[in-house]
Amino acid sequence: MIELKQVAKTFGQDEKSVHALHPIDLTIQQGEVVGLLGFSGAGKSTLLRLINRLESPSGGRILVEGQDITHLSESNLRQVRQRIGMIFQQFNLLSSRTALENVLFGIQVSGRAGADATEKAMQALHMVGLTDKTKAYPSQLSGGQKQRVAIARALAMEPGILLCDEATSALDPHTALSILRLLKSLQRERGMTMVVVTHDIKVASYLCDRAIVLEKGRVVDNIDMRSPAPVSLLGKFFFETAKGWTDETVLPEEET
Amino acid sequence: MNGLIEALVQFGPDLIKATLDTFMMVGATMVSAILLGTPLGIMLFLAAPFGLYPQHAVHRLTSYFVNVLRSFPFIILLVLLIPFSRFLVGTSIGPKAAAVALSIAVIPYFARLVEQNFRDVPRGMVDMAQSCGASPWHIIWKVLIPEAMPGLLASLTVTATGFIAYSAVAGAVGAGGLGDLAIRYGYYRFETNVMIWCVIIMFVLVQATQWLGDGLVRLFDKRV
């Protein structure tokens, strides 16, 4: 379970400060898949990065599986992060390491690299269907394959929570869907809690139980994706665009 | 042409000695660049305002130190370092003393190159490492250095070739080496053929260094 209590984030100081997030309350249940939906600059990535404390909050409290991580020391924070997997839009694979070595990275830095580390990494690569590419460098892999390696790296650490930061935004629709399918099946298999940042309603519809719509650092909608009933203009806009763009599609900022 | 061959016969031992001196001076300089310049560069990178572990005072101090050292004309640095050279290698003249001065001069120069190479590592790599729970130590050794390695090797090559030529200036303290030989024999004593040989050997050294450096970069660069 992830609990955010009045969590806020301000970048910079004094007059130049930017309120990335106004105080937000959000609870994500164990095994729940929650989408953070919004335009660029809405604060969704910042919100995601607060969950594993890649960003520090300016106010409020963050609890992960009951543990308050708001003011955790660096070394304790590292322990927490090892239970929270994360994948990125740009994959962030180390260019100097092969696919297998990239998966091993997570295991190595966790200090749990025993004799079975390679076996664990191979298992993770097997789960994402990349056993034939273990010795390939990232530059020799396609975008989809790179993201599979990144997923394997996260899985190898057996996380209870997986954070996805625009994980399919850099991929073509065909590859994106195959990655989403993989994430869905892995989530079901392991009952992982997932937080998915996206600007694409199709991603949220396919993957998420619930979508939080963010606008200018505030939560404007909280949509149950099994029977979606958006109440905000922005929430409605996202569902409109799912049907395709037309001349009649109303842009939210035009109306306000 | 005959003159060139005669010069080679007559000054062969001097040329060999000078080549070895150049090797020694540039070798010591490279060791210093790697062992002292690299950590300083890492410190500059980490402590920078938007770096991984911002330390305002440390960064300011280090940055000033680097800039001050880089501002000295090399000759002046050479003279200033006379007492230090005497203390460290027991002499204030000759190739050993010059090696000390060159080794000091290279530290801030290479540190800046290291800093830049680290900045070129995509920030996302560090995000990834931190999200995995990596310690600062792991981030430096398992992420930043390996990812910056092609750039670091290219910088080291630039530094080596640059300091091969730079070591000639050290002739001012009777440093020996090819540059010194070229000036003393070739220029002052009008032994043009000796000068030509010196330049040819230095060209070969620079060429070989560049070739070796490029090869190492290719070996380590998996980004293509």
Side-chain angles (χ1 to χ4, degrees), chain A residues 8-22 41 58:
Chain A
K9 177 68 186 178
T10 309
F11 288 104
Q13 285 157 355
D14 310 327
E15 304 91 61
K16 282 187 282 180
S17 65
V18 179
H19 293 283
L21 286 176
H22 296 277
S58 312

Side-chain angles (χ1 to χ4, degrees), chain A residues 49 52 54 78 81-82 84 86 88 91-97 102 105-106 108-110 137 139 153 157, chain B residues 53 122 124-136 138 142-143 146-147 220-224:
Chain A
R49 292 162 65 92
N52 63 355
L54 284 184
R78 288 201 284 276
R81 283 174 178 158
Q82 284 163 19
I84 308 176
M86 190 170 192
F88 304 84
F91 324 122
N92 292 345
L93 298 181
L94 298 170
S95 70
S96 53
R97 288 176 169 237
N102 263 287
F105 177 83
Q108 285 167 352
V109 300
S110 71
Y137 286 94
S139 58
R153 175 179 61 205
M157 298 176 73
Chain B
Y53 304 97
M125 300 288 178
V126 177
D127 281 348
M128 179 282 292
Q130 285 184 321
S131 80
C132 289
S135 62
H138 277 141
K142 288 186 184 289
V143 178
E147 288 298 303
F220 278 88
D221 199 347
K222 309 292 184 190
R223 290 171 298 188
V224 231

